[in-house]
Amino acid sequence: MSSNWDPLALQPPSHSEELKVSFPQEHVMLMTLNRPKHLNAMTPQLTTSIAAILNWFDDEPSLWVVIVTGEGRAFCAGADLKAWLHDQSSGKAKEQENVASSVHGFASISRRHTSCKPMIAAVNGSAYGGGVEMILNCDVVIASEDAVFALPEVKRGVLAAQGVIPRLGRVAGHQLASEMLLLGNTITAAQARDRFRFVNLVVEKSAVVPTALDIARQINMNSPDSVQSSKEGLILSQKHHFEEAVRTHSMSLVSKRLYHGANIKEGLAAFSERRKPRWSNPAKL
């Protein structure tokens, strides 16, 4: 695949014990939400740790794919509603300002649109509210056969405001998105795959992370420049009309890196010489 992988040289920034970070295979980072007793509900400390790690990941050339999963029986139960109640009761809540000013959304994932590196959700168990918001902004979603999903905000008098509404409307269509958002009911992994269309694969619980690692391995068999430029094209397609998206993508720095980098030459040469390509880390932008 490549010859420049040294996991021992990686030095991620310090982070809380609520997040576990590992490098289980070549060019892959695994982030595990680590609050199992609280169903991995999000805290400010955990959000800060995720933001720091993902910002570092984006700038680390030797890391090409990230996988997000949860410790224990849940992926993520969403926001800490007791803390939210405290803020509401004390008059400290500033929901509108916080949503409007949030760069990367819930858990620093749900609205993250600045990274061109693939993110895989390995959904090991239940995902509620913000947990679903995170999943909808991942590029590939692997779910346990016993995983369940819900956007129950309407049952609590709050709002799923961190990006999931337009994403779910685009992926599932208006009527099915309305069913999930307005009823607030739980759906199964099979329904998330077959009806709502935001899950790629449903597997046995023990196979969730191994399957995600295999998907990452398959992605990393390809040129990281091509993969990252392809993801950038998908992101731009959500921001612009067709022709503008194509033109913006063609002239972007990520595309320039692809066309002027070493991997395009390596891929074409490997094809001509009938051998496997040996990819190198993309240059920093």
Side-chain angles (χ1 to χ4, degrees):
M1 186 186 302
S2 66
S3 58
N4 45 10
W5 169 247
D6 181 10
L8 297 178
L10 295 171
Q11 296 182 341
S14 61
H15 52 280
S16 78
E17 294 181 353
E18 296 180 345
L19 183 69
K20 295 195 295 186
V21 178
S22 61
F23 309 99
Q25 70 186 33
E26 193 172 6
H27 302 302
V28 176
M29 182 174 78
L30 175 63
M31 289 197 316
T32 305
L33 310 181
N34 190 34
R35 301 187 72 228
K37 293 181 179 179
H38 303 280
L39 303 181
N40 299 317
M42 200 55 50
T43 66
Q45 185 179 26
L46 180 52
T47 297
T48 299
S49 291
I50 293 171
I53 292 296
L54 286 180
N55 290 342
W56 170 80
F57 164 81
D58 285 344
D59 290 335
E60 174 50 57
S62 68
L63 291 172
W64 301 355
V65 177
V66 61
I67 298 170
V68 185
T69 192
E71 187 70 35
R73 61 190 178 92
F75 175 76
C76 177
D80 186 334
L81 297 186
K82 292 182 179 179
W84 198 343
L85 173 61
H86 178 268
D87 289 345
Q88 271 283 331
S89 300
S90 63
K92 297 180 180 178
K94 296 181 179 180
E95 291 92 347
Q96 289 177 287
E97 293 85 351
N98 290 341
V99 170
S101 63
S102 176
V103 176
H104 297 307
F106 185 84
S108 195
I109 289 178
S110 72
R111 289 161 60 193
R112 182 172 285 267
H113 62 276
T114 55
S115 176
C116 294
K117 297 183 179 183
M119 179 178 292
I120 300 172
V123 186
N124 55 298
S126 55
Y128 299 105
V132 176
E133 298 230 30
M134 295 163 63
I135 290 165
L136 262 289
N137 198 30
C138 290
D139 303 295
V140 179
V141 180
I142 312 300
S144 167
E145 57 191 3
D146 62 354
V148 293
F149 305 81
L151 291 167
E153 282 84 350
V154 292
K155 296 180 180 292
R156 305 290 179 256
V158 295
L159 181 67
Q162 288 283 16
V164 75
I165 294 176
R167 292 187 192 283
L168 187 61
R170 184 179 293 112
V171 171
H174 179 85
Q175 285 73 25
L176 285 171
S178 296
E179 179 181 328
M180 195 167 178
L181 286 159
L182 306 186
L183 276 64
N185 292 337
T186 299
I187 65 170
T188 66
Q191 289 173 320
R193 178 192 61 196
D194 300 334
R195 293 190 69 219
F196 296 88
R197 300 184 298 176
F198 62 81
V199 166
N200 295 82
L201 297 171
V202 177
V203 300
E204 293 182 358
K205 189 177 185 69
S206 61
V208 171
V209 171
T211 301
L213 286 168
D214 185 61
I215 294 294
R217 180 190 60 79
Q218 293 181 59
I219 291 172
N220 287 342
M221 291 176 67
N222 303 314
S223 163
D225 286 309
S226 299
V227 167
Q228 291 175 34
S229 186
S230 295
K231 177 173 176 177
E232 184 194 42
L234 285 171
I235 293 172
L236 290 171
S237 73
Q238 298 170 14
K239 298 179 179 180
H240 305 293
H241 294 298
F242 181 86
E243 284 298 332
E244 186 178 359
V246 173
R247 287 195 298 269
T248 302
H249 186 211
S250 69
M251 298 304 294
S252 74
L253 290 175
V254 178
S255 291
K256 181 179 180 179
R257 179 177 66 182
L258 184 156
Y259 291 124
H260 294 274
N263 283 325
I264 187 171
K265 299 176 180 66
E266 169 63 16
L268 295 172
F271 176 81
S272 177
E273 297 164 12
R274 299 183 179 181
R275 59 172 175 82
K276 292 183 178 180
R278 295 181 292 273
W279 307 120
S280 56
N281 294 329
K284 284 193 173 185
L285 293 174

